[in-house]
Amino acid sequence: MTPLGLIVNPVAGLGGTVGLKGSDGAQVQRLARERGAVPRAGTRAALAVAELAARCPDAEILTVAGDMGADAAGPRGRVVCERPETTGPADTRRAVDALVAAGAGLIMFAGGDGTARDVLDALGGRVPAIGIPAGVKMHSAVHAVNPRAAGEVAAAFLAGTAHVAPAEVADREGDAIVLYGLMPVPRLGERVQRGKVGSARTGGDDLAGIAAELAAHAVPGGLDVYGPGTTTHGVLRVLGVDTPPTGVTAVSGGRCLVADADAAALEGLAAGRPGVRVIVSPIGGQGFLFGRGNQQITPALLRGATVTVVCGEAKLAALGGRPLLVDTGDDALDASLTGYLPIVTGRGRRVMYKLGEP
Amino acid sequence: MSAHAPSGPVDPADAKVAPKPALRRYHAARWDESLIFEQSTPGQRGVLPPALDAGIAESVGDATASLPPALRRQKPPALPELGQQAVLRHYLRLSQENLGADLNIDVGQGTCTMKYSPKVNDQLIRSHKLARLHPGQHDDTTQGVLEILWRMEKMLAEISGMDRVTLQPGAGSAAIWTNVAMIRAYHASRGESHRDQVITTIFSHPSNAACAKTAGYEVITLYPDADGYPDLEALKAAVSDRTAALLITNPEDTGIFNPRIKEFVDVVHSVGGLACYDQANANGILGITRARDAGFDLCHFNLHKTFSTPHACGGPAAGACGVTGALAPFLPSPTVEFDGERYFLDHDRPESIGKVRPYTGVAPNIVRAYSWIMSLGAEGLREVAEIAVLNNNYLLTEMLKIPGVSAPYAKGKRRIEQVRYSWEELAGETGVHSEDIGLRAADYGVHYWTSHHPYLVPEPATLEPTESYSKADLDEYVAIMRAVAEEARTDPETVRTAPHRSSVHRNREAALDDPNVWAVTWRAYRRKVLDAS
């Protein structure tokens, strides 16, 4: 059986309990400790390991020494990497490299968005990963719903019963939430991820249906601007357009005009078109449509366009009734994007969903 | 023995009898039975028909010659070849591996509404008076059953407040389809075929969305507001001159009754759309409220959910659609009419949507339902609703005493006939999911169901006791739920790997989701599974 690599960011979540908005950086971590914060990533990782052990007694766990994994892994952990003196992003990346080099076929990491970014950087898609939710910021869709669920997903992956699909890694940069990249994550029905990002087969998301619906309502000669994300990217792939999922893609007549377009390019392409559709999907688990991760779509572009929101039903259900949010930077435009919007969930299928007022 | 009997010395023989366990020590039959196709032995026969008398054979000649060549088989069908006893044994074994509605406390399949089907009604339909009838007989020879159909229509019209009712649909979903077809015909008759959208809610039965979609409509789904009611503001935003109809359940799958239902109807009417009430399951509202009173134009009943006929698993069951006078011309053909002297079938209905099923409906189920209504009377029907609601709220009260379970939405409010519970807290604590609880419940001999997809309520379970079950039954069901929740904490492995005492351990659910793997026929099984391995 393929071994699992466990890595714990020992300072993940440190800021959360004492009212800080994250735990990134030595200064914030010191401040958090001064305010009495207690590390909790290790405890949560131990829960995930317990669940993994219960479901998959033969699982072999490769890990990092001390509080970066071995403490949480307990006796079944095999240390293949010494604990670095510091636990910064570079240390996380080096440790992940060591786990993969030792043969880990799946990385289970305890941390938040920052840790997810570091793991993504180190892995570059070589092996899949699953997050144990332990951070302050969790805009990404790579974490299981709770620590035990992370252990369950890992066990299913090792047993060969989970399939792997890309999921969004997002992080806050200043006031903005940026889509950082896609990480391959094992999936297990609706149980895990609660459909933050659904899957075509089990999450109820109907990418082909959404693609057909968009095609049926396309304006000849019109411009379609696809925002970033797994749903829009999945729809584009169904339409035969494969572009970076983190960028904005401009399409016309089924042909990609620009991949990873910036604001100026989009506004230039839109000028004089018979119709412009901006097609977006809520990003991550937060439900932002505009102003987070897709600032290339400017108020100027939006004012001359129709907005089409696409989203699988499972992903929509996972928002738990919270409204979709917009923050375009233009108050008048934001005000026009309130109320209810028919969200395209499949061919000939819409859900009336609330927009704008958090 | 009376409660006041003096306690004498204990008989030693009695003392050895262990007390009854709190939960029954159930174990299902497990036969490891192979498919009947796999049991086939070439040449074996169940029945050997005698050879024809020479005279008959001679006068008939080649019987197959009367069939058009295109309809004749080129080779015999590949049926399994078995003796009678082997066939009987096979199906008896399969029947023992069932956990049927008459065998278990079937309150765990909310939205399916499993209520008791009185056996006296089966005796009625087995009577030669019905069993020997053929629906193709002349009206003059079927006056009795036509009278039942006619009276049944009148009773359902009274129960729903509608003007006319059809009994033709062969199931609840077929009744929804019939309503959608009538909605389409109604708008077409008014030159309003541009109405191409149907609105429904996420907690209405998904057959509403499915039937509308099948009829070619675009479907707009409303989500609940924060209190769990369908969102009225979302409806206002959704309606337009494209709206053909609203298809809505009340109470919805959460068991929460929407007191503003009349406003929903009014909003749809204000744009020229029709309002259609899915009251397939009217257990909580019989004799209390009616579709017509809230302004609906159409409604339907599923006779098994409300009027005690067998579930029938997709058919032949029976559904009934009620409509206002404005929609009556579109009812399926023929209708059953009475001219004061005799009952007859009226085929002369130029605006009818046509047939949704051969003849006039599934007569045995209509007779069962008719008998059930007649045995209860008007007061009895209302009492059914009162007991169903009482049972449900007792079950809710007892369920909520189990740590780890909750009833999302409408906190502190009573529910009507069912509740969608959530085990989210238990799952977070133990890693045991609602599906696991359901599989473990099978070890105690009861059914359990989660929810339709998508799971708006996390870790869902939907329980619906109807009026059929006693307090003792409900107590036993709650005790099972409590025991499984405790096992989730103390011995999660047992729950996770359940069932252990049922006929089948686990199905490969992923295969049910994958058209390349699923196999619903022997031929498909051979091609996709046996040949592939």
Side-chain angles (χ1 to χ4, degrees), chain A residues 10 67-68 82-88 91 94:
Chain A
D67 59 0
M68 276 185 77
E82 286 311 307
R83 185 194 189 285
E85 281 184 21
T86 57
T87 61
D91 305 302
R94 269 195 297 276

Side-chain angles (χ1 to χ4, degrees), chain A residues 51 54-55 146 148 152 190-191 194 201-202 213 217 313-314 316-317 340 347-354, chain B residues 209 213 218-221 223 231 233-234 237-238 428-431 433 435 453-456 458 493 496 513:
Chain A
E51 191 69 22
R55 289 174 183 272
N146 57 45
R148 285 194 177 278
E152 181 182 356
E190 290 204 29
R191 292 177 173 178
R194 280 284 313 288
R201 271 173 44 198
T202 56
E213 183 68 14
H217 293 93
E313 288 195 37
L316 209 53
Y340 291 83
R347 179 76 177 110
R349 300 213 59 165
R350 307 264 193 285
V351 167
M352 289 306 288
Y353 206 86
K354 205 167 190 177
Chain B
K213 189 81 193 298
E218 183 176 299
V219 177
I220 299 177
T221 303
Y223 269 39
D231 191 336
E233 297 307 312
E429 188 187 329
T430 64
H433 298 285
E435 291 91 342
H453 291 253
Y455 284 180
L456 220 55
E493 186 62 18
R496 236 178 249 139
D513 234 7

Side-chain angles (χ1 to χ4, degrees), chain B residues 203 224-230 254 256 260 408-411 413 415:
Chain B
F203 283 138
D225 65 16
D227 297 322
Y229 299 110
T254 51
I256 302 169
R260 298 172 73 185
Y409 305 119
K411 291 271 180 248
K413 291 211 170 133
R415 304 298 173 98

Side-chain angles (χ1 to χ4, degrees), chain B residues 188-340:
Chain B
S189 76
R190 298 157 56 92
E192 296 197 352
S193 289
H194 63 276
R195 295 183 180 274
D196 63 348
Q197 293 179 335
V198 161
I199 302 168
T200 186
T201 72
I202 191 77
F203 283 138
S204 288
H205 196 285
S207 283
N208 289 286
C211 290
K213 189 81 193 298
T214 308
Y217 284 105
E218 183 176 299
V219 177
I220 299 177
T221 303
L222 310 180
Y223 269 39
D225 65 16
D227 297 322
Y229 299 110
D231 191 336
L232 184 59
E233 297 307 312
L235 176 70
K236 289 176 183 169
V239 293
S240 70
D241 65 351
R242 291 177 62 188
T243 304
L246 169 72
L247 310 185
I248 193 167
T249 314
N250 189 31
E252 296 189 290
D253 289 357
T254 51
I256 302 169
F257 188 83
N258 176 5
R260 298 172 73 185
I261 192 67
K262 178 88 169 58
E263 291 176 61
F264 281 69
V265 171
D266 291 344
V267 166
V268 175
H269 281 166
S270 72
V271 298
L274 295 169
C276 181
Y277 192 162
D278 173 351
Q279 51 179 28
N281 169 4
N283 278 308
I285 58 171
L286 279 176
I288 293 169
T289 183
R290 310 192 304 172
R292 187 64 170 276
D293 300 341
F296 281 94
D297 306 289
L298 310 91
C299 70
H300 91 276
F301 295 105
N302 184 330
L303 297 194
H304 97 73
K305 291 191 186 207
T306 304
F307 301 107
S308 91
T309 67
H311 190 289
C313 296
C321 302
V323 295
T324 60
L327 281 136
F330 308 102
L331 283 167
S333 185
T335 53
V336 181
E337 307 291 347
F338 181 54
D339 63 8

Side-chain angles (χ1 to χ4, degrees), chain A residues 60-354:
Chain A
E60 185 187 352
I61 302 177
L62 311 176
T63 189
V64 188
D67 59 0
M68 276 185 77
D71 295 352
R76 65 174 59 235
R78 182 156 71 83
V79 173
V80 296
C81 175
E82 286 311 307
R83 185 194 189 285
E85 281 184 21
T86 57
T87 61
D91 305 302
T92 305
R93 290 194 289 268
R94 269 195 297 276
V96 170
D97 278 337
L99 295 174
V100 174
L106 172 73
I107 299 297
M108 184 160 77
F109 64 92
D113 286 334
T115 316
R117 284 175 59 164
D118 297 335
V119 171
L120 176 66
D121 285 345
L123 287 178
R126 278 182 292 168
V127 297
I130 177 73
I132 302 164
V136 180
K137 300 169 295 169
M138 279 184 283
H139 303 290
S140 304
V142 298
H143 297 95
V145 284
N146 57 45
R148 285 194 177 278
E152 181 182 356
V153 181
F157 176 82
L158 296 181
T161 56
H163 70 282
V164 175
E168 294 160 359
V169 175
D171 199 3
R172 182 181 287 276
E173 283 188 359
D175 281 341
I177 290 168
V178 173
L179 182 60
Y180 199 69
L182 295 189
M183 176 185 275
V185 173
R187 294 276 166 65
L188 197 57
E190 290 204 29
R191 292 177 173 178
V192 184
Q193 306 268 355
R194 280 284 313 288
K196 264 188 178 174
V197 177
S199 82
R201 271 173 44 198
T202 56
D205 287 5
D206 182 3
L207 294 177
I210 293 171
E213 183 68 14
L214 291 173
H217 293 93
V219 178
L223 180 74
D224 287 343
V225 176
Y226 285 84
T230 46
T231 307
T232 42
H233 181 61
V235 168
L236 278 170
R237 273 192 301 187
V238 172
L239 297 172
V241 176
D242 201 353
T243 53
T246 50
V248 175
T249 303
V251 175
S252 184
R255 203 165 52 85
C256 174
L257 301 181
V258 186
D260 218 349
D262 61 16
L266 292 171
E267 287 173 26
L269 283 169
R273 294 270 174 185
V276 178
R277 287 193 301 184
V278 172
I279 297 153
V280 289
S281 190
I283 289 181
Q286 304 296 308
F288 265 100
L289 288 181
F290 294 113
R292 299 286 186 277
N294 57 9
Q295 282 88 342
Q296 306 93 314
I297 301 171
T298 57
L301 180 71
L302 282 169
R303 274 192 288 267
T306 58
V307 172
T308 302
V309 180
V310 298
C311 188
E313 288 195 37
K315 184 172 174 177
L316 209 53
L319 288 171
R322 282 175 290 132
L324 298 174
L325 304 172
V326 292
D327 179 14
T328 63
D330 178 324
D331 286 348
L333 187 61
D334 286 358
S336 75
L337 288 169
T338 54
Y340 291 83
L341 203 64
I343 294 176
V344 175
T345 56
R347 179 76 177 110
R349 300 213 59 165
R350 307 264 193 285
V351 167
M352 289 306 288
Y353 206 86
K354 205 167 190 177

